[in-house]
Amino acid sequence: MKKYLLAVLVDNKPGVLTHVSGLISRRAFNIESISAGYTEEPDVTRINIVVSVESKNELDQVVTQLGKLIDVIKIVNLSEVDSIERELVMIKVRADKSNRAELIDIVNIFRASIVDVSQENVVIELTGQQSKIDGIIEVLSEYEIIEIARTGAIALSRGPVPVKQM
């Protein structure tokens, strides 16, 4: 299975995300992550979808089917162009006086941030590529991870050309 990141521009209407995700899942393609948010145009939403498919032919099927949806404006496979991809993760880790200094060192090594501290835990925030996030989770697994919230991938193409013009 190979993963592809698709940027899908859609009309900003209720139910569009449900239509897009439903179409992909009905076709038995796996959605690794999906995120949606506003764009520079208030009537357009950008959906970033990471899909796993067996072949390029299956990916073409996904793109073709998505393109048939009425609210879809544009679909770009950002895996095939030079792009910048990031994820956000927040990790709540058990922390007390005995291990807090070690956790701070790990946070600094990964260029993460501690965004909340209590007597019993810390919340760490990190933005980066999937491998970097997987790395900090692996290191922190030696401590007691209480909770993880992860966004999934978002991406922008490099250079001056926006997705809507690709």
Side-chain angles (χ1 to χ4, degrees):
M1 296 285 262
K2 186 164 182 196
K3 294 179 186 179
Y4 295 92
L5 195 149
L6 303 176
V8 184
L9 298 178
V10 298
D11 291 328
N12 187 6
K13 294 181 183 173
V16 174
L17 181 60
T18 303
H19 289 123
V20 168
S21 62
L23 182 141
I24 293 171
S25 61
R26 277 193 308 277
R27 302 287 188 267
F29 298 118
N30 189 38
I31 297 173
E32 296 287 331
S33 71
I34 188 166
S35 63
Y38 297 107
T39 66
E40 66 282 358
E41 297 176 28
D43 58 338
V44 176
T45 296
R46 182 184 179 123
I47 304 173
N48 296 285
I49 308 169
V50 177
V51 293
S52 292
V53 293
E54 293 282 342
S55 67
K56 183 81 165 85
N57 186 40
E58 285 186 355
L59 178 68
D60 292 341
Q61 284 180 323
V62 170
V63 171
T64 300
Q65 293 299 318
L66 285 173
K68 291 179 182 179
L69 292 176
I70 244 176
D71 296 318
V72 171
I73 299 166
K74 183 83 174 182
I75 305 164
V76 175
N77 180 356
L78 289 176
S79 303
E80 294 184 339
V81 298
D82 194 17
S83 61
I84 305 152
E85 184 179 322
R86 296 290 185 268
E87 283 188 44
L88 167 69
V89 68
M90 292 193 307
I91 309 165
K92 188 184 298 182
V93 181
R94 182 101 37 224
D96 55 30
K97 291 179 183 177
S98 67
N99 67 359
R100 199 173 303 267
E102 293 172 27
L103 288 170
I104 290 169
D105 288 342
I106 293 167
V107 165
N108 290 335
I109 288 169
F110 280 90
R111 294 190 181 111
S113 301
I114 294 177
V115 294
D116 188 54
V117 178
S118 76
Q119 298 234 359
E120 297 143 359
N121 65 271
V122 296
V123 176
I124 299 164
E125 176 184 87
L126 176 63
T127 303
Q129 293 180 325
Q130 181 180 0
S131 58
K132 184 177 183 180
I133 290 173
D134 291 343
I136 196 169
I137 290 171
E138 184 178 328
V139 170
L140 292 173
S141 67
E142 295 178 16
Y143 302 85
E144 185 182 346
I145 295 176
I146 300 168
E147 189 174 12
I148 295 176
R150 199 167 174 169
T151 62
I154 62 169
L156 286 176
S157 62
R158 290 187 182 271
V161 180
V163 164
K164 64 184 173 190
Q165 294 177 3
M166 296 178 110

Short mmCIF file of all heavy atoms in Angstrom, two decimals, residues 35-97:
data_model
loop_
_atom_site.label_atom_id
_atom_site.label_comp_id
_atom_site.label_asym_id
_atom_site.label_seq_id
_atom_site.Cartn_x
_atom_site.Cartn_y
_atom_site.Cartn_z
N SER A 35 -8.36 16.06 7.13
CA SER A 35 -8.53 17.31 7.87
C SER A 35 -9.12 18.34 6.92
O SER A 35 -8.87 18.31 5.72
CB SER A 35 -7.19 17.80 8.44
OG SER A 35 -6.29 18.08 7.40
N ALA A 36 -9.91 19.22 7.49
CA ALA A 36 -10.56 20.24 6.67
C ALA A 36 -10.48 21.58 7.37
O ALA A 36 -10.48 21.65 8.60
CB ALA A 36 -12.02 19.86 6.42
N GLY A 37 -10.40 22.63 6.59
CA GLY A 37 -10.36 23.97 7.17
C GLY A 37 -10.58 25.03 6.12
O GLY A 37 -10.62 24.76 4.91
N TYR A 38 -10.73 26.25 6.59
CA TYR A 38 -10.96 27.40 5.71
C TYR A 38 -9.72 27.68 4.87
O TYR A 38 -8.61 27.31 5.22
CB TYR A 38 -11.29 28.64 6.54
CG TYR A 38 -12.57 28.50 7.32
CD1 TYR A 38 -12.55 28.33 8.69
CD2 TYR A 38 -13.80 28.53 6.68
CE1 TYR A 38 -13.73 28.20 9.42
CE2 TYR A 38 -14.98 28.39 7.39
CZ TYR A 38 -14.95 28.22 8.75
OH TYR A 38 -16.11 28.09 9.45
N THR A 39 -9.94 28.37 3.78
CA THR A 39 -8.85 28.81 2.91
C THR A 39 -8.83 30.33 2.87
O THR A 39 -9.55 30.99 3.61
CB THR A 39 -9.05 28.27 1.47
OG1 THR A 39 -10.21 28.87 0.91
CG2 THR A 39 -9.17 26.76 1.45
N GLU A 40 -8.04 30.87 1.97
CA GLU A 40 -7.98 32.32 1.80
C GLU A 40 -9.28 32.87 1.20
O GLU A 40 -9.51 34.07 1.22
CB GLU A 40 -6.77 32.72 0.95
CG GLU A 40 -6.80 32.27 -0.50
CD GLU A 40 -6.46 30.80 -0.72
OE1 GLU A 40 -6.13 30.07 0.25
OE2 GLU A 40 -6.52 30.36 -1.89
N GLU A 41 -10.13 31.99 0.68
CA GLU A 41 -11.43 32.38 0.14
C GLU A 41 -12.52 31.85 1.08
O GLU A 41 -12.59 30.64 1.32
CB GLU A 41 -11.62 31.80 -1.26
CG GLU A 41 -10.61 32.33 -2.25
CD GLU A 41 -10.74 31.67 -3.62
OE1 GLU A 41 -11.86 31.24 -3.99
OE2 GLU A 41 -9.73 31.60 -4.31
N PRO A 42 -13.37 32.71 1.63
CA PRO A 42 -14.35 32.28 2.64
C PRO A 42 -15.36 31.25 2.16
O PRO A 42 -15.90 30.51 2.97
CB PRO A 42 -15.04 33.58 3.06
CG PRO A 42 -14.68 34.60 2.06
CD PRO A 42 -13.45 34.14 1.35
N ASP A 43 -15.61 31.16 0.87
CA ASP A 43 -16.59 30.19 0.38
C ASP A 43 -15.96 28.88 -0.08
O ASP A 43 -16.63 28.02 -0.66
CB ASP A 43 -17.42 30.80 -0.76
CG ASP A 43 -16.56 31.29 -1.92
OD1 ASP A 43 -15.36 31.53 -1.72
OD2 ASP A 43 -17.10 31.42 -3.04
N VAL A 44 -14.65 28.69 0.20
CA VAL A 44 -13.93 27.47 -0.20
C VAL A 44 -13.30 26.83 1.03
O VAL A 44 -12.68 27.49 1.85
CB VAL A 44 -12.83 27.79 -1.25
CG1 VAL A 44 -12.02 26.55 -1.58
CG2 VAL A 44 -13.44 28.39 -2.50
N THR A 45 -13.48 25.51 1.14
CA THR A 45 -12.84 24.71 2.19
C THR A 45 -11.80 23.83 1.54
O THR A 45 -11.99 23.34 0.43
CB THR A 45 -13.89 23.83 2.91
OG1 THR A 45 -14.81 24.68 3.58
CG2 THR A 45 -13.25 22.91 3.94
N ARG A 46 -10.69 23.62 2.25
CA ARG A 46 -9.64 22.73 1.76
C ARG A 46 -9.66 21.48 2.62
O ARG A 46 -9.59 21.55 3.84
CB ARG A 46 -8.28 23.40 1.86
CG ARG A 46 -7.14 22.55 1.34
CD ARG A 46 -5.83 23.27 1.58
NE ARG A 46 -4.71 22.50 1.14
CZ ARG A 46 -3.83 22.93 0.25
NH1 ARG A 46 -3.93 24.12 -0.27
NH2 ARG A 46 -2.81 22.17 -0.09
N ILE A 47 -9.78 20.33 1.97
CA ILE A 47 -9.74 19.05 2.65
C ILE A 47 -8.43 18.37 2.27
O ILE A 47 -8.13 18.20 1.08
CB ILE A 47 -10.93 18.16 2.26
CG1 ILE A 47 -12.25 18.88 2.54
CG2 ILE A 47 -10.87 16.83 3.00
CD1 ILE A 47 -13.48 18.15 2.03
N ASN A 48 -7.63 18.02 3.27
CA ASN A 48 -6.39 17.28 3.05
C ASN A 48 -6.66 15.83 3.41
O ASN A 48 -7.05 15.54 4.55
CB ASN A 48 -5.27 17.82 3.94
CG ASN A 48 -4.92 19.25 3.59
OD1 ASN A 48 -4.28 19.51 2.58
ND2 ASN A 48 -5.37 20.18 4.41
N ILE A 49 -6.47 14.94 2.46
CA ILE A 49 -6.76 13.52 2.67
C ILE A 49 -5.51 12.71 2.35
O ILE A 49 -4.94 12.84 1.27
CB ILE A 49 -7.90 13.04 1.75
CG1 ILE A 49 -9.13 13.93 1.87
CG2 ILE A 49 -8.25 11.58 2.04
CD1 ILE A 49 -10.18 13.68 0.82
N VAL A 50 -5.13 11.84 3.28
CA VAL A 50 -4.07 10.87 3.02
C VAL A 50 -4.78 9.53 2.81
O VAL A 50 -5.47 9.05 3.70
CB VAL A 50 -3.06 10.77 4.17
CG1 VAL A 50 -2.02 9.71 3.87
CG2 VAL A 50 -2.38 12.13 4.40
N VAL A 51 -4.65 8.98 1.59
CA VAL A 51 -5.28 7.70 1.28
C VAL A 51 -4.20 6.65 1.02
O VAL A 51 -3.13 6.97 0.52
CB VAL A 51 -6.21 7.79 0.04
CG1 VAL A 51 -7.42 8.63 0.33
CG2 VAL A 51 -5.49 8.29 -1.18
N SER A 52 -4.53 5.41 1.37
CA SER A 52 -3.66 4.26 1.07
C SER A 52 -4.31 3.47 -0.04
O SER A 52 -5.47 3.07 0.08
CB SER A 52 -3.50 3.36 2.29
OG SER A 52 -2.76 4.00 3.28
N VAL A 53 -3.57 3.26 -1.11
CA VAL A 53 -4.07 2.47 -2.24
C VAL A 53 -2.99 1.50 -2.69
O VAL A 53 -1.81 1.68 -2.43
CB VAL A 53 -4.50 3.38 -3.42
CG1 VAL A 53 -5.72 4.21 -3.06
CG2 VAL A 53 -3.37 4.29 -3.87
N GLU A 54 -3.44 0.45 -3.38
CA GLU A 54 -2.52 -0.59 -3.87
C GLU A 54 -1.72 -0.11 -5.08
O GLU A 54 -0.58 -0.50 -5.26
CB GLU A 54 -3.31 -1.84 -4.24
CG GLU A 54 -3.97 -2.54 -3.08
CD GLU A 54 -3.01 -3.37 -2.26
OE1 GLU A 54 -1.91 -3.69 -2.75
OE2 GLU A 54 -3.36 -3.69 -1.11
N SER A 55 -2.37 0.71 -5.93
CA SER A 55 -1.72 1.07 -7.19
C SER A 55 -2.11 2.48 -7.61
O SER A 55 -3.06 3.07 -7.09
CB SER A 55 -2.15 0.09 -8.29
OG SER A 55 -3.53 0.25 -8.56
N LYS A 56 -1.38 2.99 -8.58
CA LYS A 56 -1.68 4.31 -9.16
C LYS A 56 -3.06 4.29 -9.80
O LYS A 56 -3.78 5.29 -9.78
CB LYS A 56 -0.59 4.65 -10.18
CG LYS A 56 -0.73 6.00 -10.80
CD LYS A 56 -0.18 7.09 -9.90
CE LYS A 56 0.01 8.38 -10.64
NZ LYS A 56 -1.16 9.22 -10.73
N ASN A 57 -3.45 3.16 -10.36
CA ASN A 57 -4.77 3.02 -10.97
C ASN A 57 -5.87 3.24 -9.93
O ASN A 57 -6.87 3.91 -10.21
CB ASN A 57 -4.91 1.64 -11.62
CG ASN A 57 -6.20 1.50 -12.39
OD1 ASN A 57 -6.63 2.43 -13.06
ND2 ASN A 57 -6.82 0.33 -12.28
N GLU A 58 -5.70 2.68 -8.74
CA GLU A 58 -6.68 2.88 -7.66
C GLU A 58 -6.73 4.35 -7.25
O GLU A 58 -7.80 4.89 -6.99
CB GLU A 58 -6.37 2.00 -6.45
CG GLU A 58 -6.72 0.56 -6.64
CD GLU A 58 -6.54 -0.26 -5.38
OE1 GLU A 58 -6.04 0.27 -4.36
OE2 GLU A 58 -6.91 -1.44 -5.41
N LEU A 59 -5.58 5.00 -7.19
CA LEU A 59 -5.55 6.43 -6.87
C LEU A 59 -6.31 7.23 -7.93
O LEU A 59 -7.09 8.12 -7.60
CB LEU A 59 -4.11 6.93 -6.76
CG LEU A 59 -3.98 8.43 -6.48
CD1 LEU A 59 -4.48 8.75 -5.07
CD2 LEU A 59 -2.55 8.88 -6.66
N ASP A 60 -6.10 6.89 -9.19
CA ASP A 60 -6.82 7.56 -10.28
C ASP A 60 -8.32 7.38 -10.12
O ASP A 60 -9.10 8.30 -10.40
CB ASP A 60 -6.34 7.05 -11.64
CG ASP A 60 -4.90 7.45 -11.95
OD1 ASP A 60 -4.39 8.40 -11.31
OD2 ASP A 60 -4.29 6.80 -12.81
N GLN A 61 -8.75 6.20 -9.67
CA GLN A 61 -10.17 5.96 -9.43
C GLN A 61 -10.71 6.89 -8.34
O GLN A 61 -11.79 7.45 -8.48
CB GLN A 61 -10.41 4.50 -9.02
CG GLN A 61 -10.33 3.51 -10.15
CD GLN A 61 -10.59 2.10 -9.63
OE1 GLN A 61 -10.17 1.74 -8.53
NE2 GLN A 61 -11.27 1.30 -10.43
N VAL A 62 -9.94 7.02 -7.25
CA VAL A 62 -10.35 7.90 -6.15
C VAL A 62 -10.51 9.33 -6.67
O VAL A 62 -11.53 9.98 -6.43
CB VAL A 62 -9.32 7.87 -4.99
CG1 VAL A 62 -9.61 8.96 -3.97
CG2 VAL A 62 -9.28 6.51 -4.32
N VAL A 63 -9.52 9.82 -7.40
CA VAL A 63 -9.54 11.19 -7.92
C VAL A 63 -10.70 11.38 -8.89
O VAL A 63 -11.42 12.38 -8.83
CB VAL A 63 -8.19 11.55 -8.57
CG1 VAL A 63 -8.26 12.88 -9.29
CG2 VAL A 63 -7.09 11.57 -7.51
N THR A 64 -10.93 10.41 -9.77
CA THR A 64 -12.03 10.50 -10.74
C THR A 64 -13.37 10.55 -10.03
O THR A 64 -14.23 11.38 -10.36
CB THR A 64 -11.99 9.30 -11.71
OG1 THR A 64 -10.74 9.33 -12.40
CG2 THR A 64 -13.13 9.36 -12.71
N GLN A 65 -13.56 9.68 -9.03
CA GLN A 65 -14.83 9.65 -8.31
C GLN A 65 -15.04 10.95 -7.53
O GLN A 65 -16.15 11.49 -7.51
CB GLN A 65 -14.88 8.44 -7.36
CG GLN A 65 -14.91 7.11 -8.08
CD GLN A 65 -16.14 6.96 -8.97
OE1 GLN A 65 -17.24 7.33 -8.59
NE2 GLN A 65 -15.95 6.43 -10.17
N LEU A 66 -13.99 11.45 -6.88
CA LEU A 66 -14.11 12.71 -6.15
C LEU A 66 -14.47 13.85 -7.10
O LEU A 66 -15.26 14.73 -6.77
CB LEU A 66 -12.81 13.04 -5.41
CG LEU A 66 -12.52 12.26 -4.14
CD1 LEU A 66 -11.12 12.60 -3.63
CD2 LEU A 66 -13.56 12.55 -3.07
N GLY A 67 -13.87 13.84 -8.27
CA GLY A 67 -14.12 14.89 -9.25
C GLY A 67 -15.56 14.95 -9.72
O GLY A 67 -16.02 15.97 -10.21
N LYS A 68 -16.30 13.86 -9.57
CA LYS A 68 -17.70 13.81 -9.98
C LYS A 68 -18.64 14.45 -8.95
O LYS A 68 -19.79 14.73 -9.28
CB LYS A 68 -18.13 12.36 -10.22
CG LYS A 68 -17.47 11.74 -11.43
CD LYS A 68 -17.90 10.31 -11.61
CE LYS A 68 -17.22 9.67 -12.81
NZ LYS A 68 -17.61 8.27 -12.97
N LEU A 69 -18.15 14.67 -7.74
CA LEU A 69 -18.99 15.30 -6.72
C LEU A 69 -19.23 16.76 -7.09
O LEU A 69 -18.30 17.47 -7.49
CB LEU A 69 -18.34 15.21 -5.34
CG LEU A 69 -18.25 13.82 -4.71
CD1 LEU A 69 -17.49 13.88 -3.39
CD2 LEU A 69 -19.64 13.24 -4.48
N ILE A 70 -20.44 17.20 -6.94
CA ILE A 70 -20.86 18.55 -7.37
C ILE A 70 -20.10 19.66 -6.66
O ILE A 70 -19.79 20.68 -7.27
CB ILE A 70 -22.39 18.68 -7.18
CG1 ILE A 70 -23.04 18.87 -8.51
CG2 ILE A 70 -22.77 19.75 -6.23
CD1 ILE A 70 -24.54 18.92 -8.47
N ASP A 71 -19.78 19.47 -5.38
CA ASP A 71 -19.16 20.54 -4.59
C ASP A 71 -17.64 20.58 -4.71
O ASP A 71 -17.00 21.47 -4.14
CB ASP A 71 -19.56 20.40 -3.12
CG ASP A 71 -21.05 20.59 -2.92
OD1 ASP A 71 -21.61 21.51 -3.54
OD2 ASP A 71 -21.65 19.82 -2.14
N VAL A 72 -17.04 19.63 -5.42
CA VAL A 72 -15.57 19.60 -5.56
C VAL A 72 -15.14 20.57 -6.66
O VAL A 72 -15.63 20.52 -7.78
CB VAL A 72 -15.08 18.17 -5.86
CG1 VAL A 72 -13.60 18.18 -6.21
CG2 VAL A 72 -15.34 17.26 -4.66
N ILE A 73 -14.23 21.46 -6.28
CA ILE A 73 -13.73 22.48 -7.20
C ILE A 73 -12.44 22.01 -7.88
O ILE A 73 -12.27 22.14 -9.09
CB ILE A 73 -13.46 23.81 -6.44
CG1 ILE A 73 -14.75 24.33 -5.82
CG2 ILE A 73 -12.82 24.84 -7.36
CD1 ILE A 73 -14.54 25.42 -4.79
N LYS A 74 -11.53 21.44 -7.08
CA LYS A 74 -10.20 21.08 -7.59
C LYS A 74 -9.61 19.98 -6.73
O LYS A 74 -9.81 19.97 -5.51
CB LYS A 74 -9.29 22.32 -7.55
CG LYS A 74 -7.91 22.16 -8.08
CD LYS A 74 -7.90 22.32 -9.59
CE LYS A 74 -6.48 22.31 -10.11
NZ LYS A 74 -6.40 22.50 -11.51
N ILE A 75 -8.86 19.06 -7.35
CA ILE A 75 -8.15 17.99 -6.64
C ILE A 75 -6.71 17.99 -7.14
O ILE A 75 -6.48 17.94 -8.35
CB ILE A 75 -8.77 16.62 -6.90
CG1 ILE A 75 -10.25 16.62 -6.56
CG2 ILE A 75 -8.03 15.53 -6.12
CD1 ILE A 75 -11.02 15.45 -7.14
N VAL A 76 -5.76 18.03 -6.20
CA VAL A 76 -4.35 17.97 -6.56
C VAL A 76 -3.67 16.93 -5.70
O VAL A 76 -3.83 16.91 -4.47
CB VAL A 76 -3.66 19.35 -6.39
CG1 VAL A 76 -2.17 19.24 -6.65
CG2 VAL A 76 -4.28 20.39 -7.31
N ASN A 77 -2.89 16.06 -6.34
CA ASN A 77 -2.10 15.06 -5.62
C ASN A 77 -0.78 15.73 -5.21
O ASN A 77 0.12 15.86 -6.02
CB ASN A 77 -1.85 13.85 -6.51
CG ASN A 77 -1.04 12.78 -5.83
OD1 ASN A 77 -0.57 12.95 -4.70
ND2 ASN A 77 -0.84 11.68 -6.51
N LEU A 78 -0.71 16.16 -3.96
CA LEU A 78 0.50 16.86 -3.50
C LEU A 78 1.68 15.92 -3.31
O LEU A 78 2.81 16.37 -3.13
CB LEU A 78 0.20 17.62 -2.20
CG LEU A 78 -0.71 18.83 -2.38
CD1 LEU A 78 -1.04 19.47 -1.04
CD2 LEU A 78 -0.09 19.85 -3.31
N SER A 79 1.45 14.62 -3.36
CA SER A 79 2.56 13.66 -3.26
C SER A 79 3.40 13.66 -4.52
O SER A 79 4.54 13.20 -4.50
CB SER A 79 2.01 12.25 -3.04
OG SER A 79 1.21 12.21 -1.88
N GLU A 80 2.85 14.19 -5.61
CA GLU A 80 3.57 14.18 -6.89
C GLU A 80 4.20 15.51 -7.24
O GLU A 80 4.80 15.64 -8.31
CB GLU A 80 2.62 13.74 -8.01
CG GLU A 80 2.18 12.30 -7.86
CD GLU A 80 1.33 11.83 -9.01
OE1 GLU A 80 0.74 12.67 -9.72
OE2 GLU A 80 1.25 10.61 -9.20
N VAL A 81 4.03 16.51 -6.37
CA VAL A 81 4.67 17.81 -6.61
C VAL A 81 5.53 18.15 -5.41
O VAL A 81 5.36 17.58 -4.33
CB VAL A 81 3.62 18.93 -6.85
CG1 VAL A 81 2.80 18.64 -8.10
CG2 VAL A 81 2.71 19.13 -5.67
N ASP A 82 6.44 19.07 -5.60
CA ASP A 82 7.29 19.50 -4.50
C ASP A 82 6.41 20.22 -3.48
O ASP A 82 5.79 21.23 -3.80
CB ASP A 82 8.39 20.42 -5.03
CG ASP A 82 9.50 20.65 -4.04
OD1 ASP A 82 9.61 19.86 -3.08
OD2 ASP A 82 10.26 21.62 -4.23
N SER A 83 6.33 19.67 -2.27
CA SER A 83 5.43 20.24 -1.28
C SER A 83 6.01 20.14 0.13
O SER A 83 6.97 19.42 0.37
CB SER A 83 4.07 19.56 -1.34
OG SER A 83 4.19 18.18 -1.06
N ILE A 84 5.40 20.88 1.03
CA ILE A 84 5.78 20.90 2.44
C ILE A 84 4.63 20.25 3.21
O ILE A 84 3.50 20.70 3.12
CB ILE A 84 5.97 22.34 2.94
CG1 ILE A 84 6.98 23.07 2.06
CG2 ILE A 84 6.39 22.36 4.40
CD1 ILE A 84 6.76 24.56 2.01
N GLU A 85 4.93 19.17 3.93
CA GLU A 85 3.92 18.41 4.65
C GLU A 85 4.21 18.43 6.14
O GLU A 85 5.35 18.25 6.56
CB GLU A 85 3.93 16.97 4.14
CG GLU A 85 2.88 16.08 4.73
CD GLU A 85 2.94 14.67 4.16
OE1 GLU A 85 3.21 14.50 2.96
OE2 GLU A 85 2.73 13.73 4.95
N ARG A 86 3.17 18.67 6.94
CA ARG A 86 3.32 18.72 8.39
C ARG A 86 2.12 18.10 9.08
O ARG A 86 1.03 18.05 8.53
CB ARG A 86 3.46 20.17 8.89
CG ARG A 86 4.68 20.90 8.41
CD ARG A 86 5.95 20.35 9.04
NE ARG A 86 7.11 21.12 8.67
CZ ARG A 86 7.90 20.86 7.64
NH1 ARG A 86 7.66 19.84 6.86
NH2 ARG A 86 8.95 21.62 7.39
N GLU A 87 2.35 17.66 10.33
CA GLU A 87 1.30 17.21 11.23
C GLU A 87 1.49 17.93 12.55
O GLU A 87 2.57 18.41 12.86
CB GLU A 87 1.41 15.71 11.51
CG GLU A 87 0.93 14.82 10.43
CD GLU A 87 0.89 13.36 10.86
OE1 GLU A 87 0.43 13.06 11.98
OE2 GLU A 87 1.32 12.52 10.07
N LEU A 88 0.43 17.98 13.34
CA LEU A 88 0.49 18.51 14.69
C LEU A 88 0.10 17.40 15.64
O LEU A 88 -0.83 16.64 15.35
CB LEU A 88 -0.49 19.69 14.84
CG LEU A 88 -0.77 20.17 16.27
CD1 LEU A 88 0.46 20.83 16.88
CD2 LEU A 88 -1.95 21.12 16.28
N VAL A 89 0.80 17.30 16.76
CA VAL A 89 0.46 16.33 17.80
C VAL A 89 0.56 17.01 19.16
O VAL A 89 1.40 17.88 19.37
CB VAL A 89 1.36 15.07 17.75
CG1 VAL A 89 2.80 15.39 18.14
CG2 VAL A 89 0.81 13.96 18.63
N MET A 90 -0.36 16.64 20.03
CA MET A 90 -0.27 17.02 21.44
C MET A 90 -0.23 15.72 22.23
O MET A 90 -1.05 14.81 21.99
CB MET A 90 -1.44 17.90 21.88
CG MET A 90 -1.39 19.26 21.23
SD MET A 90 -2.51 20.49 21.96
CE MET A 90 -4.07 19.70 21.92
N ILE A 91 0.72 15.63 23.15
CA ILE A 91 0.93 14.41 23.92
C ILE A 91 0.92 14.75 25.41
O ILE A 91 1.71 15.58 25.85
CB ILE A 91 2.28 13.74 23.56
CG1 ILE A 91 2.42 13.58 22.05
CG2 ILE A 91 2.44 12.41 24.30
CD1 ILE A 91 3.82 13.29 21.58
N LYS A 92 0.03 14.11 26.14
CA LYS A 92 -0.02 14.30 27.59
C LYS A 92 0.76 13.15 28.22
O LYS A 92 0.46 11.98 27.99
CB LYS A 92 -1.47 14.29 28.10
CG LYS A 92 -1.60 14.66 29.56
CD LYS A 92 -3.04 14.55 30.07
CE LYS A 92 -3.95 15.50 29.33
NZ LYS A 92 -5.34 15.42 29.86
N VAL A 93 1.78 13.51 29.01
CA VAL A 93 2.68 12.53 29.61
C VAL A 93 2.70 12.71 31.12
O VAL A 93 2.75 13.85 31.63
CB VAL A 93 4.13 12.71 29.06
CG1 VAL A 93 5.08 11.70 29.65
CG2 VAL A 93 4.13 12.64 27.55
N ARG A 94 2.66 11.60 31.84
CA ARG A 94 2.78 11.64 33.29
C ARG A 94 4.14 12.23 33.64
O ARG A 94 5.16 11.82 33.10
CB ARG A 94 2.64 10.23 33.87
CG ARG A 94 2.69 10.17 35.35
CD ARG A 94 1.40 10.04 36.09
NE ARG A 94 0.37 9.21 35.50
CZ ARG A 94 -0.91 9.57 35.44
NH1 ARG A 94 -1.30 10.74 35.93
NH2 ARG A 94 -1.81 8.78 34.91
N ALA A 95 4.14 13.23 34.52
CA ALA A 95 5.40 13.89 34.89
C ALA A 95 5.34 14.29 36.35
O ALA A 95 4.36 14.86 36.82
CB ALA A 95 5.62 15.13 34.03
N ASP A 96 6.42 13.98 37.05
CA ASP A 96 6.56 14.43 38.43
C ASP A 96 7.97 14.98 38.59
O ASP A 96 8.71 15.10 37.62
CB ASP A 96 6.26 13.30 39.43
CG ASP A 96 7.11 12.05 39.17
OD1 ASP A 96 8.25 12.19 38.69
OD2 ASP A 96 6.64 10.94 39.45
N LYS A 97 8.34 15.32 39.81
CA LYS A 97 9.66 15.94 40.03
C LYS A 97 10.80 15.04 39.57
O LYS A 97 11.84 15.52 39.13
CB LYS A 97 9.82 16.27 41.51
CG LYS A 97 8.92 17.39 41.96
CD LYS A 97 9.09 17.67 43.43
CE LYS A 97 8.12 18.75 43.87
NZ LYS A 97 8.18 19.02 45.29
#
